Amino acid sequence: MTSLTESASQVGAENVLSVGSPAPSIKVEDWLRGQPVTRFEPGKVYIIEFWATWCGPCIASMPNLVILQDKYRSNGVEVVGVAAPTVDEARASLDAWLTKSLPNLNFAIAFDDAGEMNKIWMDPTFSVEIPASFVVDRDGRIAFIGHPTQLDNALPKVLNGSWAGSDEAKALDAERINRGQRRKRELSQKRGLAEPIFARLEPAIKSKDWPTALSAIEEALAAMPDEVTIRGLHAELLLHKMRDMRAGLPVLRQLVRDAIEKKSVVWMSVAIRQLFDPAKDYSGFPHAERFAMGKDLSEHILATNPPQGSEGAKFLSYGAVAQYYYETGKKDRAIELVKVALKWLDAAPASDVAKRDVVPCSLQDLASYRSEKLCYEECCSAPQNTAREKPEPRSPSEAA
């Protein structure tokens, strides 16, 4: 699941909603698709789906919601998608995304810019992540809270009356509440630890006071040793700001090992961007080890998030993977991967901010790989030298 907010406060017991509770009302700013749902009509069953365009798992779940709406419409089922836009995502851009990405959409979509639905639905049910599905039964009560992938099993049982009060429903809801309470406690603890640390870290980085920045990062690591953002900042600071290879390389090696072990594209993306970013200088890096780590990460990234798949934020890692292939002499493969990343960005659940940040860099890489000026929408780039370090001749095993 994808985190919706890391600032959700602990909910008081008197405000808790669970399976069997009367469903809250629907309070949204606007409706982008379908007929507005102003109240829950007796005799109908509603699926309230919390989602966002920046959430990959949410987007992956949307086609099945279309199927469920079509399959169970005659049974009185009505799906309502509640979109949680980013600060920079206006109504018009969300509407355009729906038109382009979900042309067969057959259910209502509400626009919750103020986050009111989060306050009255998500917080009181200990739901801190999206996608999140709620099923409201024919009596207007919450019958199910969980991940949309669980709807295929739960929805038919809600409809035939066998779900409410069943051992399966009770066990699923108890596990969900325990997980949600635990996650909220973790987020609260992390927030309390992180705020004073970042209050020192951000100005230190801005002023290029690297010793102070390193002290803050080391403090953050002691408190949050498994936070990938902090791990990446640690390697970045040592290797690319302080140019301390002796201290930085062991940090990077461990980051690479952990990323591969976790099989996490996000972790692997953070690691490979320390190794193959066209904007960075790698002249002091040990050549053989840099390329060995790049090979391992690239293979694992492409296996976990393959080019032919539509899911996974490819712009997070494909630029660095492409640079690895370019520097090993596989220019066509590098060009192919950048094109995949640009194509994914064009139709993907990425925020406008991500697109503004990534498209110029991706276009610059593509122009350099192809040695020609290229334009994409309103952005144009001329070729530059993308290899900071001349690759050594490849062995037959490396070329395979």
Side-chain angles (χ1 to χ4, degrees), residues 86-120:
T86 64
V87 173
D88 299 276
E89 186 175 34
R91 182 189 189 283
S93 62
L94 181 56
D95 185 69
W97 187 90
L98 289 167
T99 300
K100 182 175 183 179
S101 303
L102 292 171
N104 63 336
L105 186 68
N106 58 359
F107 55 85
I109 296 289
F111 188 76
D112 184 28
D113 187 31
E116 188 66 22
M117 290 290 284
N118 186 48
K119 294 176 184 176
I120 63 177

Side-chain angles (χ1 to χ4, degrees), residues 293-359:
M293 287 191 286
K295 182 176 186 294
D296 283 347
L297 285 167
S298 295
E299 290 175 351
H300 279 87
I301 288 169
L302 295 179
T304 306
N305 185 16
Q308 63 272 21
S310 60
E311 299 176 20
K314 300 187 189 305
F315 69 90
L316 289 175
S317 57
Y318 270 36
V321 174
Q323 182 67 16
Y324 161 75
Y325 282 111
Y326 179 76
E327 291 193 36
T328 54
K330 299 178 181 179
K331 185 172 71 172
D332 291 343
R333 182 62 164 155
I335 291 171
E336 174 194 353
L337 292 174
V338 177
K339 285 182 175 179
V340 169
L342 283 169
K343 183 178 179 181
W344 190 92
L345 276 167
D346 188 46
S351 70
D352 291 341
V353 173
K355 291 182 180 182
R356 283 201 307 269
D357 291 345
V358 176
V359 166

Side-chain angles (χ1 to χ4, degrees), residues 60-374:
S61 298
M62 295 296 270
N64 192 51
L65 291 171
V66 171
I67 293 172
L68 290 176
Q69 177 65 95
D70 185 59
K71 182 177 180 180
Y72 292 107
R73 187 184 298 275
S74 61
N75 296 89
V77 172
E78 187 167 346
V79 179
V80 177
V82 179
T86 64
V87 173
D88 299 276
E89 186 175 34
R91 182 189 189 283
S93 62
L94 181 56
D95 185 69
W97 187 90
L98 289 167
T99 300
K100 182 175 183 179
S101 303
L102 292 171
N104 63 336
L105 186 68
N106 58 359
F107 55 85
I109 296 289
F111 188 76
D112 184 28
D113 187 31
E116 188 66 22
M117 290 290 284
N118 186 48
K119 294 176 184 176
I120 63 177
W121 285 78
M122 296 287 286
D123 286 353
T125 57
F126 302 104
S127 302
V128 296
E129 296 176 320
I130 58 173
S133 300
F134 293 75
V135 176
V136 178
D137 67 17
R138 302 186 194 278
D139 297 320
R141 294 184 174 275
I142 298 174
F144 166 86
I145 308 169
H147 195 279
T149 55
Q150 299 168 313
L151 288 171
D152 286 331
N153 173 56
L155 183 59
K157 297 174 183 178
V158 172
L159 291 171
N160 67 26
S162 64
W163 181 258
S166 68
D167 290 342
E168 181 183 8
K170 292 176 182 177
L172 186 67
D173 205 46
E175 194 278 331
R176 177 193 62 78
I177 291 172
N178 289 335
R179 184 177 62 250
Q181 290 176 325
R182 184 172 62 251
R183 180 62 173 152
K184 282 199 172 188
R185 285 195 297 269
E186 291 172 355
L187 291 174
S188 179
Q189 291 169 356
K190 285 181 180 180
R191 185 175 67 252
L193 292 168
E195 285 177 353
I197 293 171
F198 278 95
R200 291 193 296 112
L201 177 60
E202 290 175 2
I205 291 176
K206 188 174 182 179
S207 63
K208 298 184 180 181
D209 180 359
W210 305 133
T212 298
L214 179 60
S215 174
I217 288 175
E218 289 175 342
E219 183 181 344
L221 283 171
M224 299 171 284
D226 211 34
E227 280 295 307
V228 65
T229 302
I230 303 297
R231 297 278 297 275
L233 280 172
H234 193 206
E236 170 86 14
L237 180 62
L238 289 170
L239 293 170
H240 300 289
K241 303 302 183 185
M242 303 178 77
R243 304 295 293 180
D244 186 344
M245 295 293 131
R246 177 174 294 181
L249 283 173
V251 168
L252 182 57
R253 291 178 191 124
Q254 189 62 54
L255 176 61
V256 171
R257 285 195 295 269
D258 290 347
I260 292 174
E261 181 178 333
K262 290 175 182 291
K263 299 180 181 178
S264 166
V265 172
V266 173
W267 277 70
M268 289 188 281
S269 299
V270 170
I272 198 167
R273 288 201 300 269
Q274 300 304 321
L275 289 161
F276 287 91
D277 181 345
K280 288 183 171 65
D281 179 6
Y282 294 99
S283 57
F285 276 58
H287 178 94
E289 184 175 13
R290 176 181 173 234
F291 279 81
M293 287 191 286
K295 182 176 186 294
D296 283 347
L297 285 167
S298 295
E299 290 175 351
H300 279 87
I301 288 169
L302 295 179
T304 306
N305 185 16
Q308 63 272 21
S310 60
E311 299 176 20
K314 300 187 189 305
F315 69 90
L316 289 175
S317 57
Y318 270 36
V321 174
Q323 182 67 16
Y324 161 75
Y325 282 111
Y326 179 76
E327 291 193 36
T328 54
K330 299 178 181 179
K331 185 172 71 172
D332 291 343
R333 182 62 164 155
I335 291 171
E336 174 194 353
L337 292 174
V338 177
K339 285 182 175 179
V340 169
L342 283 169
K343 183 178 179 181
W344 190 92
L345 276 167
D346 188 46
S351 70
D352 291 341
V353 173
K355 291 182 180 182
R356 283 201 307 269
D357 291 345
V358 176
V359 166
C361 295
S362 298
L363 190 65
Q364 178 66 73
D365 294 344
L366 189 60
S368 298
Y369 298 159
R370 293 174 56 173
S371 300
E372 60 180 324
K373 182 178 179 179
L374 296 174

